[in-house]
Structure formats: C-alpha cells, structure tokens
Amino acid sequence: MLTRPLLLGQSRRFLQTSTMVCADKGGVFSRFNPWAKQQQQQSDASDQPQSTEVVGNATFDVAFQDKETFASWKTNEIVSDDEQIQSIIQSIVIEHIPGTSQADYQQASLQNVDTKFKVVKDSIKQLGKEVPNASLHSISTVQDLISFFQQKPSLEATSVEQFFTQQAESLPSNLRFELSKTQQQLQQE
C-alpha cells in the first residue's frame, strides 16, 4: 500500500512537468501558443543594440523631424495702387483670354468658368487680395474684377454696434448690444 501512493504521485508530477517541457522546447503545444514564438523573437531582438533612451521606468524611442513650412501660393504684399492693379490684371487677361487687346480688355467676359478661374486665381496670386465666394457670382467681366480689387475695405461698416442699430427690427427681442462698462463711463463723461 505504501508503494501505490508513491507511484501515483510520481506519475502526476511527470504528467504536469511534461507539458511545460514540451511548450518550452518548441514541442507540440508551442505550435498552438502564439505568444511562445513572439517571446523567442523578442529575445533575439533584445540581443541587438537599440537606439532608445531610458529614463527611469519610461523608454522613449522618438524620431523628431522638423516639418517644412507651407509656402503660400499668393504674394504676402497686397497691391493697393489702382494703376498697378489695372496693369497686372491687364497682363493676366491678355495671357488667358485669346483675342483680347490692350484697348478692350476691360470688356472681356468672364462667363466661362475655366477662364474665370484662371484669371481670378492669377489675380489673387499677384495682387495678394483674396476674392470671397460671396463676391464671385457678381464678377462677370474684367471691369467687375478690377473694381473689386480697387475697393478699399470699410472699417466703419464692420462695427458690431452699427450692425445692431441698423438691424434692430429684424433681430430677435432677446438679442441686444450692450457697451462695456469702460465704454459706458467714457460716454457719460
């Protein structure tokens, strides 16, 4: 009777260790274990020197690269001289619209979408002033384009207070304009 439990204990130990031995040495069970192969690959990779910097418990392996700055396609200087605007647009129109001369370039039509795009884009490039989408539909001739680029921006028309006073009837009743405390004090003085 004493021999029986002793043999039974040895056989259990042999069965429990045999699976571990097979898995460690690339046996039957390691083929079904996806982590076993990765551990072998990681141990191979750890033998090679790496370009990582270890700080405390954190590891940083980052390659920093300066991004190139985006070059704008339009000029940085906004042309505001009326004669210069006309001469630049004249050269652009003569280049893109065949059959136009220096005498009649202002009456040239911009109804063709491709021609209009080319003329407006080159005008923006050389003059530095952008044409908003809302204004594009009103430009049908070269004269309209010249008058748009010759317009001077009105700073008074952009005042918030003026907008609220002019549009008071059409705005909702809960929407109103109030001056800041410092502006109220300045008006009282």
Side-chain angles (χ1 to χ4, degrees):
M1 280 192 135
L2 289 173
T3 57
R4 199 174 216 177
L6 185 61
L7 290 175
L8 190 60
Q10 288 176 350
S11 64
R12 283 186 190 159
R13 187 178 320 142
F14 175 74
L15 290 175
Q16 291 173 351
T17 58
S18 65
T19 58
M20 298 292 281
V21 170
C22 289
D24 288 340
K25 295 181 181 178
V28 177
F29 297 107
S30 65
R31 286 184 272 172
F32 302 116
N33 185 359
W35 295 281
K37 291 183 181 179
Q38 288 180 355
Q39 290 173 354
Q40 291 173 357
Q41 291 173 356
Q42 288 176 356
S43 65
D44 294 341
S46 64
D47 296 340
Q48 300 172 355
Q50 295 181 357
S51 62
T52 59
E53 180 182 342
V54 178
V55 178
N57 292 335
T59 303
F60 300 99
D61 188 13
V62 180
F64 292 103
Q65 297 176 356
D66 292 334
K67 293 183 179 179
E68 295 181 18
T69 57
F70 177 73
S72 178
W73 53 272
K74 68 176 188 170
T75 183
N76 292 334
E77 299 175 9
I78 296 176
V79 178
S80 59
D81 183 36
D82 292 344
E83 293 176 11
Q84 194 174 7
I85 290 172
Q86 284 185 354
S87 67
I88 290 172
I89 292 179
Q90 178 184 5
S91 65
I92 292 170
V93 168
I94 291 173
E95 177 185 344
H96 290 291
I97 302 176
T100 56
S101 64
Q102 292 181 355
D104 66 343
Y105 78 95
Q106 291 184 352
Q107 281 69 34
S109 176
L110 295 176
Q111 295 299 325
N112 184 354
V113 179
D114 293 332
T115 306
K116 184 176 185 177
F117 173 76
K118 291 175 184 176
V119 170
V120 171
K121 183 177 179 186
D122 283 350
S123 300
I124 291 171
K125 277 184 187 179
Q126 294 181 19
L127 297 173
K129 182 178 177 183
E130 292 187 16
V131 179
N133 290 342
S135 301
L136 280 174
H137 74 281
S138 65
I139 299 173
S140 59
T141 64
V142 175
Q143 181 59 43
D144 296 337
L145 185 65
I146 292 172
S147 63
F148 173 80
F149 279 109
Q150 288 178 344
Q151 280 180 342
K152 306 296 182 222
S154 174
L155 297 177
E156 296 175 5
T158 59
S159 170
V160 176
E161 183 180 10
Q162 285 182 350
F163 171 78
F164 275 93
T165 55
Q166 292 172 355
Q167 305 292 330
E169 303 87 35
S170 63
L171 294 174
S173 61
N174 63 346
L175 189 60
R176 59 185 175 169
F177 178 76
E178 292 184 6
L179 292 172
S180 65
K181 292 180 182 180
T182 55
Q183 289 178 344
Q184 288 176 358
Q185 292 173 353
L186 290 174
Q187 283 185 349
Q188 289 176 355
E189 293 176 355

